[in-house]
Amino acid sequence: METPVLIEIKNLKTHFFLDEGTVQAVNGVDFTIHQHKTLCVVGESGCGKSVTARSILQIVDQPGRIVEGEILYHRPDRLSVAGNGEWTSGATSANGNSTTEIIDLAALDPRGREIRAIRGQDISMIFQEPMTSLSPIHTVGNQITEAIKLHTDMLDDEADEHAIELLRRVGIPRPAERLGTYPFELSGGMRQRVMIAMALSCNPALLIADEPTTAVDVTTQAQILELLEELQDEFGMAIMLITHDLGVVAEMADDVVVMYLGQVAERGDVDSIFHDPKHPYTQSLLKSIPRLGVSRNRQRLDSIRGMVPDPYNRPAGCMFGPRCDHFMPGRCDAISPPAIPLGPGREVHCLLYEDE
Amino acid sequence: MSEQSTNGQQISTSQNGSPAAGNILLDVKNLQKWFPITAGFFRRTIGHVKAVDDISFQVLQGETVGLVGESGCGKTTAGRCILRAYDLTGGQVLFQDHDGKMVDLGPLTNNEMKPYRQQVRMIFQDPFNSLNPRMPVIDIVGDPLKINNVAAGKELEDRVASLLARVGLRPEYMRRYPHAFSGGERQRIGIARALALDPRLVVADEAVSALDVSVRAQILNLIKDLQEEFNLTYIFVSHDLSVIEYICDRVVVMYVGKIVEVAETEELFDQPFHPYTEALLSAVPNPDPRMRQQKARIVLEGDVADPANPPSGCYFHPRCRYVQDQCSQETPELREIAPGHFAACHFAEELTLVGVTASGELG
C-alpha cells in the first residue's frame, strides 16, 4: 500500500573539501521515503549512507556541504504534541493532502531558524554509539526534556511527566527514578532506549536511525528492533534505517536503497531486493553473507573481489566496474550508468538493463 | 571432578571426522580469571569480577572451536588466558608440546613461556589499533621472526614476502605503513603476523567483526584456506552466530563467565539444549524478508547479568522463559545430554527447544 511521500531526495550531492582533494561522499542520490514506512539504506563503509542521512538534517560535519540537489520535505499538516501527544496528521494528509507544505531542506541555512525547528521535531535521529551521542554530564531527564521544552510550550512538570511516559514506553524499568541518572549508569541497550525516547519526544514524522544496533549484542539488537517496530505502529512515524547488516534490512524494511561509493546501485521493495536483485553488487553482497542453517555445508563463501576503492581515486564510469563480474570493457568504464526504472519505486543503475 | 573425565573421553571419541581424532592439542581445565574491584585510597579489593569462572573445554588438533556469547560473557578473557596475556586466577591450560607432552601454561614465567608464544598466536579484532602505526609492514610481520632468531636480513625479507603473498597482499608493499592499507588489508597483515612463526594454535578474537560484508567473506575464506595449508587449530571468538556456524567444528557457548553449552556445530544449531542458546539463535536476523512472518522471535528481557554480582542458582534464570523454582536455588552443572553434547541446564532433557534447520528456517 502506497502512503504519501514524506521525503523526496533528488540528485543529492554532498562533498567534503579536504586538503588532499574533494571526497564525493554522496554523489547524485535519488530516493523517496514514504509516510509510516521503513526505508533501509544499506551499503559498506564509505558508501555515503550516513552522510546522506546527515544531509537530510543538515548536520554534515565541516568541511562537508551539500553542493547540489534537493531534499524535499513534504511536511504533513500537523502537528500538535502539546496535548496528549497524539499524532494527528496521518488521516488528513492521506486523503487529499492539499495542505501539505513542501520545504527544500537542502536549501536551508544549516544554522538557520527553520532547520532548527525541524530537527528534533519533524525529523529526529538516533546514532550508533549511544555513549558518545548522549551528554555524559547531563542527566537522562535533562536531555529528554530539553527537546520537549524547546519545541513545545510544556512547563517543567509536564515535560518531566512526558519524559517519564516516554521512558516507560521504550521499556525502561522504574522510569521516574531514571530521570535523575547519568548515561554511564545505564547499559548499552538502555542508553539506546534513552536515545529513542529522546528522538520520539516530539512525535517526529521521520526517525533516522544510523546503525542503531551495531554497537549492541544480538539479543539487545532483537529488543531494539522489536521496540522500533512497535513504536512505529503506535506513533506512525517513518523510519530511515541505516545499516550494513542485511539481516536487519530483511527484518525491518519496506523499501531498500543499496548504495555503493556515494551512489545508489539499486532500490526497490524489500522482497524484490532480496529475491530478485538486479545490480551485480546487490547480487554478490547477498551471496557473500553467511546465513544461519544455509552456509553450514558450503565450503566457501562467495566474496566480492578487491575492495571499495579509495574515495580520492574513484573509477571512471560505473563505480562498481572494477569489482564486477559482468564488466563490459568500453562501456562500464566510460558511461556512468543512469537510473533505469524497472517498476514503481524500483530502479537499478546498471548498463546490463539498458535495453529493458 | 568426575564429570571432567567423562567430558574428555566423550569429546575425543565423538570427533572421528577431524583430521587427528582424539589428539587433544589444548585442554582447558577449571580455568578461572577474576579481576579485582578496588576502592578507596589504598585500592583495597572489595570484590571480584568473575570474568571467567571455572570453565573446562578441549581443543583437538586441526579443529576450529568457537567461543560465542554476548559481550561480558568472558569469551575474550578466556582466549587471552590461553595465550597467557593474563595470569590465571585458577585452573590449568594444558598445551600439547611438540613431543606430545601436555604442559600447563598457567604457572610458567615469561621466559619459560617464550617457546610457547611461537606456537600459540593471536589475531585481533580491530585492524586499526592492533598494528603499530609507526612500523612498516616488514617490521610488523618480521619482528616475531627476528626476536625468536628464526630469520634475519635477506632471508627475513623473503619470508615476509612469501607470508604477505600467502595472505593475498602484494609483497612490494612491505615498506609501507599500516595507514596505507584498508581495513581488510590490515586484517591480512595481522593474519600474516600471526602465521609468521608457524604456530599450531591461533586464537582469533572477533577477527572479522570490524570488517565490511564483502571483505568479511574474503577473510573468512582465507582463514579457512590457511587452516588446511598449515594444519592450524583455531579458537574462534565471536559474537556472530552465522560466522561461527560457517567456520567452526565445535562451539562453546558462554554466559557470564560460565559455559552453558558445548556441542558440535551442527548439533548445537539443530537442537540446542540450553534456553540461552535457543534465544541467541532466535535473535539472529534472518536475511530473507519472507521469513519475517514465520519467525517467532524470542526476545530476552533485561540485560546480561553483572559478573561482579551474578544472580543465584543458574545465572540465566532471570531472563529464562522456562524458569522454575529450582533454577534460582541450584547452580546447574555442565552435563552430557547427548553424546558429545553438553549443557548446563536442570531441565535440558525435558525442554524442547528450537534450533535452526538446514534450510535456514527456524523450525
Side-chain angles (χ1 to χ4, degrees):
Chain A
M1 194 192 77
E2 283 289 280
T3 53
V5 172
L6 186 66
I7 299 270
E8 211 176 338
I9 296 183
K10 287 183 182 167
N11 193 28
L12 177 70
K13 291 187 181 175
T14 305
H15 295 178
F16 287 78
F17 299 93
L18 301 170
D19 293 344
E20 294 89 347
T22 303
V23 175
Q24 301 169 353
V26 177
N27 203 19
V29 161
D30 303 81
F31 61 83
T32 47
I33 305 173
H34 293 270
Q35 282 183 23
H36 322 308
K37 293 281 184 190
T38 302
L39 175 94
C40 283
V41 182
V42 64
E44 298 178 87
S45 33
C47 74
K49 52 194 193 300
S50 290
V51 176
T52 308
R54 285 170 172 266
S55 301
I56 294 176
L57 278 177
Q58 288 266 19
I59 51 171
V60 181
D61 290 325
Q62 289 294 337
R65 65 167 193 269
I66 299 173
V67 291
E68 211 183 310
E70 293 176 313
I71 303 170
L72 300 180
Y73 171 42
H74 298 244
R75 189 179 210 166
D77 53 337
R78 53 132 42 175
L79 283 173
S80 75
V81 269
N84 49 7
E86 284 293 306
W87 169 263
T88 53
S89 75
T92 45
S93 57
N95 46 36
N97 71 357
S98 52
T99 47
T100 309
E101 180 188 359
I102 297 177
I103 306 166
D104 183 6
L105 301 180
L108 297 181
D109 173 10
R111 294 167 179 279
R113 181 180 293 275
E114 287 157 286
I115 189 75
R116 286 194 324 211
I118 287 170
R119 282 183 204 143
Q121 180 163 29
D122 292 58
I123 303 173
S124 59
M125 185 156 176
I126 56 179
F127 299 89
Q128 173 173 354
E129 191 17 90
M131 192 64 224
T132 46
S133 40
L134 289 171
S135 161
I137 57 163
H138 295 97
T139 61
V140 165
N142 256 326
Q143 297 186 56
I144 298 179
T145 50
E146 185 191 5
I148 302 173
K149 283 188 264 189
L150 200 64
H151 291 296
T152 66
D153 41 19
M154 280 190 209
L155 301 172
D156 286 5
D157 291 357
E158 290 170 327
D160 277 353
E161 249 164 64
H162 189 54
I164 292 171
E165 186 47 45
L166 284 162
L167 287 177
R168 177 176 300 125
R169 190 57 210 86
V170 296
I172 290 184
R174 289 172 286 120
E177 295 166 40
R178 293 291 180 185
L179 278 192
T181 58
Y182 290 89
F184 74 86
E185 298 172 79
L186 303 171
S187 70
M190 286 296 155
R191 281 182 216 138
Q192 199 55 280
R193 285 167 194 267
V194 169
M195 285 282 296
I196 294 172
M198 200 186 297
L200 293 181
S201 58
C202 297
N203 272 341
L206 172 66
L207 174 69
I208 303 175
D210 187 358
E211 303 263 13
T213 57
T214 306
V216 299
D217 276 311
V218 54
T219 53
T220 314
Q221 166 169 295
Q223 293 172 357
I224 300 282
L225 295 181
E226 195 105 321
L227 176 68
L228 282 176
E229 274 177 341
E230 276 172 38
L231 292 171
Q232 186 175 32
D233 284 346
E234 190 176 325
F235 290 76
M237 74 281 189
I239 296 178
M240 175 180 175
L241 183 67
I242 294 155
T243 179
H244 66 275
D245 186 335
L246 289 161
V248 172
V249 177
E251 301 239 325
M252 298 292 290
D254 294 305
D255 298 301
V256 182
V257 174
V258 183
M259 284 185 71
Y260 185 77
L261 218 63
Q263 296 182 346
V264 174
E266 179 170 10
R267 65 189 173 97
D269 61 285
V270 65
D271 196 70
S272 25
I273 291 287
F274 277 82
H275 288 282
D276 184 24
K278 293 293 188 197
H279 199 284
Y281 176 61
T282 322
Q283 290 169 354
S284 26
L285 206 56
L286 284 166
K287 275 190 222 148
S288 69
I289 45 170
R291 296 168 183 235
L292 272 192
V294 178
S295 54
R296 192 183 296 168
N297 305 314
R298 209 163 46 179
Q299 272 310 298
R300 296 179 64 83
L301 292 168
D302 296 316
S303 58
I304 308 178
R305 64 166 184 267
M307 63 202 118
V308 180
D310 178 23
Y312 299 116
N313 206 350
R314 297 153 68 89
C318 174
M319 293 295 137
F320 188 59
R323 305 176 76 189
C324 183
D325 290 332
H326 304 280
F327 181 72
M328 295 179 280
R331 307 248 303 126
C332 293
D333 49 6
I335 309 163
S336 184
I340 295 161
L342 299 168
R346 178 113 171 85
E347 59 183 43
V348 61
H349 290 251
C350 179
L351 295 176
L352 288 175
Y353 302 95
E354 220 175 9
D355 307 328
E356 292 181 22
Chain B
M1 285 172 83
S2 60
E3 180 224 326
Q4 198 53 48
S5 56
T6 52
N7 183 332
Q9 263 173 5
Q10 207 38 65
I11 288 178
S12 43
T13 50
S14 64
Q15 283 294 311
N16 35 22
S18 61
N23 190 1
I24 296 166
L25 180 69
L26 182 82
D27 192 356
V28 177
K29 284 188 174 168
N30 308 99
L31 176 69
Q32 286 181 318
K33 177 63 197 175
W34 296 4
F35 294 99
I37 307 168
T38 57
F41 183 71
F42 295 109
R43 317 221 43 88
R44 208 159 35 85
T45 302
I46 53 162
H48 285 97
V49 175
K50 298 180 181 175
V52 173
D53 197 16
D54 197 0
I55 65 166
S56 305
F57 64 94
Q58 284 155 334
V59 180
L60 304 181
Q61 173 68 41
E63 74 170 344
T64 304
V65 170
L67 287 184
V68 68
E70 292 175 273
S71 42
C73 75
K75 54 189 193 298
T76 296
T77 308
R80 296 196 163 193
C81 285
I82 291 164
L83 286 157
R84 276 294 311 282
Y86 292 143
D87 289 330
L88 314 187
T89 308
Q92 293 178 304
V93 176
L94 299 169
F95 181 71
Q96 192 197 60
D97 211 340
H98 279 299
D99 51 12
K101 223 169 48 195
M102 297 303 274
V103 183
D104 184 6
L105 302 183
L108 298 186
T109 63
N110 263 342
N111 257 338
E112 292 167 334
M113 192 60 209
K114 217 172 164 187
Y116 299 103
R117 295 218 188 274
Q118 299 186 27
Q119 300 181 36
V120 188
R121 306 285 293 167
M122 184 156 188
I123 302 171
F124 294 91
Q125 167 171 9
D126 186 338
F128 293 89
N129 293 324
S130 59
L131 302 180
N132 187 339
R134 301 186 184 192
M135 280 165 89
V137 173
I138 181 165
D139 287 350
I140 291 174
V141 179
D143 264 12
L145 296 165
K146 216 183 277 175
I147 289 165
N148 290 288
N149 299 319
V150 178
K154 182 77 182 101
E155 195 197 341
L156 180 111
E157 212 163 284
D158 291 345
R159 285 279 295 261
V160 173
S162 74
L163 278 165
L164 290 181
R166 187 56 205 88
V167 298
L169 289 171
R170 296 175 57 178
E172 305 93 85
Y173 294 166
M174 69 165 84
R175 310 261 170 221
R176 295 194 180 182
Y177 288 85
H179 71 82
F181 296 91
S182 72
E185 290 173 312
R186 285 178 200 217
Q187 202 56 301
R188 289 174 194 266
I189 296 171
I191 292 172
R193 173 175 62 183
L195 295 181
L197 291 164
D198 290 326
R200 296 165 69 212
L201 176 66
V202 175
V203 179
D205 187 0
E206 303 271 13
V208 296
S209 305
L211 304 176
D212 269 320
V213 191
S214 70
V215 180
R216 185 187 300 180
Q218 294 172 359
I219 300 290
L220 283 174
N221 285 336
L222 175 67
I223 287 175
K224 252 191 164 170
D225 293 346
L226 293 171
Q227 178 167 38
E228 276 174 33
E229 200 175 325
F230 296 97
N231 192 23
L232 293 173
T233 306
Y234 289 120
I235 295 180
F236 203 90
V237 179
S238 180
H239 69 279
D240 187 333
L241 285 151
S242 47
V243 170
I244 288 277
E245 188 194 33
Y246 172 67
I247 204 145
C248 294
D249 301 313
R250 233 151 32 84
V251 183
V252 175
V253 185
M254 291 184 66
Y255 186 74
V256 198
K258 290 200 181 286
I259 294 180
V260 296
E261 191 161 2
V262 183
E264 283 184 38
T265 309
E266 218 157 296
E267 274 265 336
L268 186 97
F269 282 72
D270 281 346
Q271 178 55 70
F273 279 131
H274 198 285
Y276 177 63
T277 314
E278 183 193 34
L280 267 186
L281 289 173
S282 144
V284 178
N286 190 338
D288 183 350
R290 290 182 190 167
M291 292 295 156
R292 234 188 259 180
Q293 312 302 327
Q294 293 161 31
K295 187 169 173 180
R297 186 158 49 194
I298 303 165
V299 177
L300 286 180
E301 301 283 315
D303 290 318
V304 181
D306 177 4
N309 187 17
S312 63
C314 173
Y315 288 178
F316 187 59
H317 87 262
R319 305 173 79 190
C320 184
R321 307 203 294 166
Y322 311 99
V323 65
Q324 304 205 13
D325 291 344
Q326 193 189 349
C327 299
S328 57
Q329 288 147 21
E330 288 169 42
T331 307
E333 291 286 316
L334 190 67
R335 354 175 239 127
E336 189 168 15
I337 313 294
H341 193 155
F342 300 81
C345 175
H346 294 303
F347 303 100
E349 288 92 349
E350 290 136 62
L351 297 174
T352 322
L353 302 181
V354 180
V356 188
T357 56
S359 65
E361 294 165 33
L362 281 133

